[in-house]
Amino acid sequence: MQEPAITTDLIASHGLSADEYQVILGLIGREPSYTELGIFSAMWNEHCSYKSSKKWLRTLPTQGPQVICGPGENAGIVDIGDGQAVVFKMESHNHPSYIEPYQGAATGVGGILRDVFTMGARPIAAMNSLSFGEVSHHKTRQLVNGVVEGVGGYGNCFGVPTVGGEVRFDPAYNGNCLVNAFAAGLADTDKIFYSAASGIGMPVVYLGAKTGRDGVGGATMASAEFDDTIEEKRPTVQVGDPFTEKRLMEATLALMQTGAVISIQDMGAAGLTCSAVEMGDKGGLGVRLDLERVPVRETNMTAYEMMLSESQERMLMVLKPELEAEAKAVFDKWDLDFAIVGETIEEDRFLIMHNGKMKADLPLSKLASSAPEYDRPWVATPAADPLEDVPQIDPIDGLKALLSTANYASKRWVFEQYDAQVMGDTIRIPGAGAGIVRVHGTPKALAFTSDVTPRYVMANPVEGGKQAVAEAYRNLTAVGAKPLATTDNMNFGNPEKPEIMGQFVGAIQGIGEAVTALDMPIVSGNVSLYNETDGTGILPTPTIGAVGLLNSEDELINADVREGHVAILVGVTEGHLGQSALLNEVFNRTDGDAPHVDLAAEVKNGDFIRANRDWIKACTDLSDGGLALAAYEMAATADVGVTLDSGDTPDLFGEDQARYLIACNFDQAEALMIAAGQAGVTLAFVGKFGGEDVTMGGSSAPLAELKAMSESVFPTLFS
């Protein structure tokens, strides 16, 4: 097949600027071949090279005594004691999910699961953070149904419990939904596998499913804005098979027991290209590939297609040659491909051969280390205008208004499509705070949450970044878990616009401050930029995934609200209504500043909750919707009414940070008050639980009526 000539249009279609192409010419001293152009495009796009973000990502705190492995590997690794570690990461599959909702979401789940078991960890939990356009938009119903079905279809068939997540709606996502997938697994600390190749002349082995043409150019597509050519991008979306992935996981974990693995890498974005380059670059070696040995499922595939295919359920490994037969036997047992497709070489070369012809010969280290790095111009987000007066509202009317919106209605319709109980170790399913999973065979458990409030980040990126981390900290604390570490998924618009880059920089600064103060270092993550359609960007959405540890189930704070329990508010209430859920959903306003995050207060109040958990029957953090929504959700979970004394709008719906709502017996409340005085923590009695109604300041409605209203929203809109 005749390769196309390298033209200006061809270079641009590969996502490379004219200046970047000149750098390529300088690196290799000649015009690249078509395959070489594709390789540079794959390695130098935003999705793989982080060229607009790595200057700022380097400022994030990534170290701590609990951290075994921080960013740079397939996933982060954190010590949980007793020779065990939790391995976790969050990644985006935004553009593919907008183009093809089911497969986009499904393959996002598949990719993040591979990142975990590639390191020797068996996945034990999954989460997702989903952002869609306004409910009335013509694509939203299709996207919600397709994405939820894709997440559930892949995770359920693979056999990992989906234990948490979030779903939001805003017009800013009309042309670009967000699908952020999280996975966590368990590994022994002495049996962790990394991706750096070592040894010269070692076999490079292709593992898993066959290569097809699906996903060719997917990473480059993920680094571009959408426009009216969106339908042309459909072939760049991969197609997944969860049953093949399940076999691949079992085969990979069995393979690791043979001692044959030197290094191993998931074939994710940019497929064979990225996996081979990363393994070679981390080990300071070159790689030669003979593409005629690559297992394919389509005829007449070119070198370009094989190198850039993002077909799913594939891995690349460097193997100890003396154990080749044992390794191959494992994959034969699981009916998966096992093919030696190349070798490591001493020279700094990425040498691609196909049927005896050289298709690429590039300096391997330059594909990674010489990728462009930009210090994009940025401008700080201007300070928000002061909040104008917010009228008082009947508290039950305000609560009903929130519960009748897709943002604050029950998400049961979503999470009931996910299997949260598979593997039999789930302690708490979605819908009641952080998800919790036992560490099988031990007294320990792990808690998981994902959080961000994009409207806060839009108004004030620094405070919004801090708040995302602080809310994750509170969600873990509210179930009794000690927060350990975080992963981030930075979803933003076009970084070439200074105001968008300013949002990114501000959010990074806020996240950095918060993870330092709260001792939750960032150990892995993902950046997704160019989330724009026809020049209109999404809300800045830096999702934070977080993991916490319970040393035993005795440390768990159960959602055990009973008749007669008192309601106690921990933390200071000033009635902050700027950027609040009430303001947004009820008054259709987005004015005011994001709430200030006092990180010292977060630490003090979080420590107080965990230190006094024995006196607490139920606990939730306060975030969107303030005290009113938190009290309703606690009552609805337990099916017990609640009475709040105040009817004041700022008291009930303000979104001040560092706050929790506690339920407990009266004698336990007295003990908590004494402990709070000693710790310098602010506590206030705000009401009591009991009866069949939700009452706030004298206004009331039956709890059953409110629950029915809330739980009918999603089935009505999306079924």
Side-chain angles (χ1 to χ4, degrees), residues 27-339:
L27 284 174
I28 64 177
R30 56 176 171 79
E31 187 176 84
S33 69
Y34 181 53
T35 300
E36 289 173 332
L37 182 70
I39 289 171
F40 271 109
S41 167
M43 292 304 301
W44 285 16
N45 66 63
E46 197 74 59
H47 193 76
C48 294
S49 73
Y50 296 91
K51 58 190 176 187
S52 296
S53 58
K54 54 189 173 185
K55 165 186 167 66
W56 296 101
L57 295 176
R58 291 191 192 102
T59 67
L60 288 171
T62 60
Q63 300 297 317
Q66 71 273 46
V67 178
I68 295 173
C69 176
E73 274 291 343
N74 287 297
I77 309 175
V78 174
D79 197 326
I80 61 169
D82 306 312
Q84 291 182 302
V86 59
V87 180
F88 65 97
K89 189 181 184 183
M90 181 174 268
E91 277 200 341
S92 61
H93 232 225
N94 303 335
H95 284 49
S97 298
Y98 190 79
I99 297 168
E100 173 43 62
Y102 182 91
Q103 289 296 349
T107 52
V109 174
I112 200 68
L113 289 168
R114 284 195 304 281
D115 281 339
V116 167
F117 69 73
T118 300
M119 303 199 73
R122 181 173 290 275
I124 62 163
M127 292 191 298
N128 53 83
S129 179
L130 311 176
S131 303
F132 300 104
E134 58 192 328
V135 170
S136 60
H137 189 263
H138 67 93
K139 281 209 69 164
T140 299
R141 189 166 183 268
Q142 174 209 358
L143 290 171
V144 170
N145 276 280
V147 166
V148 171
E149 191 177 349
V151 169
Y154 204 100
N156 296 354
C157 294
F158 177 85
V160 63
T162 299
V163 299
E166 50 187 348
V167 185
R168 70 180 56 84
F169 298 84
D170 190 276
Y173 303 105
N174 280 349
N176 197 131
C177 65
L178 302 183
V179 174
N180 294 174
F182 170 100
L186 284 174
D188 293 335
T189 54
D190 60 349
K191 295 173 184 172
I192 294 167
F193 290 81
Y194 297 98
S195 59
S198 63
I200 297 165
M202 296 295 157
V204 175
V205 184
Y206 174 113
L207 306 168
K210 289 179 167 58
T211 294
R213 290 187 172 93
D214 54 323
V216 172
T220 302
M221 175 274 292
S223 304
E225 294 182 34
F226 283 152
D227 53 29
D228 56 10
T229 65
I230 186 170
E231 283 303 313
E232 298 172 15
K233 297 179 171 72
R234 191 172 297 276
T236 63
V237 179
Q238 314 92 322
V239 177
D241 177 358
F243 298 107
T244 298
E245 177 118 334
K246 174 69 171 174
R247 289 185 290 129
L248 179 62
M249 179 191 71
E250 297 296 350
T252 300
L253 296 178
L255 175 69
M256 290 168 171
Q257 301 300 313
T258 68
V261 178
I262 294 174
S263 64
I264 191 163
Q265 175 78 32
D266 160 45
M267 281 197 227
L272 191 54
T273 290
C274 193
S275 56
V277 169
E278 288 189 0
M279 289 174 75
D281 185 57
K282 289 175 184 175
L285 296 169
V287 173
R288 171 194 168 114
L289 296 178
D290 296 297
L291 296 186
E292 66 274 9
R293 300 180 182 178
V294 172
V296 294
R297 53 178 160 81
E298 300 185 43
T299 58
N300 299 319
M301 287 192 70
T302 65
Y304 178 96
E305 290 170 331
M306 281 191 268
M307 292 306 296
L308 298 189
S309 168
E310 294 183 11
S311 294
Q312 295 293 285
E313 293 87 43
R314 301 179 303 158
M315 316 274 265
L316 202 64
M317 172 181 73
V318 176
L319 171 75
K320 294 178 182 176
E322 67 274 15
L323 294 175
E324 176 189 336
E326 291 178 56
K328 185 175 186 305
V330 171
F331 274 72
D332 287 345
K333 172 188 172 182
W334 288 99
D335 194 24
L336 293 164
D337 280 296
F338 177 101

Side-chain angles (χ1 to χ4, degrees), residues 552-670:
S552 77
E553 287 187 49
D554 293 338
E555 294 184 348
L556 174 65
I557 299 175
N558 284 302
D560 187 21
V561 180
R562 302 279 178 88
E563 184 87 20
H565 278 170
V566 294
I568 299 176
L569 182 62
V570 177
V572 176
T573 298
E574 296 179 348
H576 183 96
L577 286 169
Q579 299 299 328
S580 65
L582 183 78
L583 204 65
N584 191 23
E585 299 285 358
V586 178
F587 297 107
N588 197 29
R589 289 168 52 180
T590 56
D591 49 325
D593 199 1
H596 172 68
V597 180
D598 182 339
L599 293 169
E602 295 283 3
V603 172
K604 180 171 67 174
N605 294 352
D607 287 348
F608 172 80
I609 295 292
R610 289 188 300 276
N612 295 284
R613 73 185 97 216
D614 290 346
W615 292 327
I616 298 171
K617 295 298 184 182
C619 180
T620 185
D621 85 301
L622 269 62
S623 52
D624 291 66
L627 174 62
L629 195 57
Y632 162 76
E633 289 176 346
M634 189 179 277
T637 299
D639 210 22
V640 173
V642 63
T643 298
L644 297 180
D645 300 328
S646 176
D648 182 63
T649 296
D651 280 356
L652 290 171
F653 295 98
E655 296 180 5
D656 307 283
Q657 301 295 294
R659 298 188 301 160
Y660 301 83
L661 182 62
I662 288 172
C664 63
N665 296 322
F666 188 79
D667 57 340
Q668 295 165 328
E670 289 184 318

Side-chain angles (χ1 to χ4, degrees), residues 343-625:
E343 65 176 357
T344 59
I345 57 177
E346 185 173 7
E347 300 87 0
D348 180 22
R349 297 170 73 189
F350 192 38
L351 185 58
I352 308 301
M353 305 296 294
H354 191 206
N355 296 321
K357 295 181 180 178
M358 186 173 67
K359 294 296 183 179
D361 188 0
L362 299 171
L364 185 144
S365 63
K366 302 299 184 186
L367 289 166
S369 61
S370 293
E373 180 174 339
Y374 296 124
D375 186 0
R376 301 275 190 200
W378 62 278
V379 294
T381 300
D385 293 331
L387 180 65
E388 299 176 9
D389 289 341
V390 179
Q392 290 278 337
I393 187 171
D394 179 90
I396 294 298
D397 288 347
L399 180 61
K400 285 181 176 180
L402 292 181
L403 295 179
S404 62
T405 68
N407 276 318
Y408 302 108
S410 167
K411 306 302 189 295
R412 181 185 299 275
W413 179 88
V414 175
F415 65 72
E416 284 189 344
Q417 296 185 54
Y418 308 147
D419 189 341
Q421 299 287 4
V422 65
M423 300 177 72
D425 281 319
T426 303
I427 297 173
R428 183 172 292 184
I429 64 172
I436 307 173
V437 174
R438 295 181 190 88
V439 178
H440 195 79
T442 78
K444 295 179 292 191
L446 290 165
F448 304 98
T449 187
S450 69
D451 298 284
V452 66
T453 309
R455 64 181 184 277
Y456 291 172
V457 187
M458 187 74 174
N460 188 328
V462 176
E463 290 300 320
K466 286 162 61 176
Q467 192 276 339
V469 179
E471 186 174 346
Y473 173 88
R474 292 197 302 272
N475 277 330
L476 297 175
T477 294
V479 299
K482 169 66 176 172
L484 288 179
T486 49
T487 180
D488 60 359
N489 204 150
M490 307 292 289
N491 307 274
F492 290 80
N494 184 346
E496 297 168 47
K497 298 178 179 179
E499 66 276 14
I500 301 295
M501 196 64 209
Q503 294 172 352
F504 181 87
V505 172
I508 287 283
Q509 290 171 340
I511 290 168
E513 284 183 50
V515 298
T516 298
L518 303 176
D519 191 21
M520 298 169 71
I522 296 277
V523 298
S524 58
N526 172 243
V527 176
S528 176
L529 302 178
Y530 295 96
N531 288 291
E532 299 205 358
T533 299
D534 296 327
T536 301
I538 61 163
L539 291 178
T541 312
T543 310
I544 297 294
V547 178
L549 176 66
L550 295 149
N551 287 307
S552 77
E553 287 187 49
D554 293 338
E555 294 184 348
L556 174 65
I557 299 175
N558 284 302
D560 187 21
V561 180
R562 302 279 178 88
E563 184 87 20
H565 278 170
V566 294
I568 299 176
L569 182 62
V570 177
V572 176
T573 298
E574 296 179 348
H576 183 96
L577 286 169
Q579 299 299 328
S580 65
L582 183 78
L583 204 65
N584 191 23
E585 299 285 358
V586 178
F587 297 107
N588 197 29
R589 289 168 52 180
T590 56
D591 49 325
D593 199 1
H596 172 68
V597 180
D598 182 339
L599 293 169
E602 295 283 3
V603 172
K604 180 171 67 174
N605 294 352
D607 287 348
F608 172 80
I609 295 292
R610 289 188 300 276
N612 295 284
R613 73 185 97 216
D614 290 346
W615 292 327
I616 298 171
K617 295 298 184 182
C619 180
T620 185
D621 85 301
L622 269 62
S623 52
D624 291 66

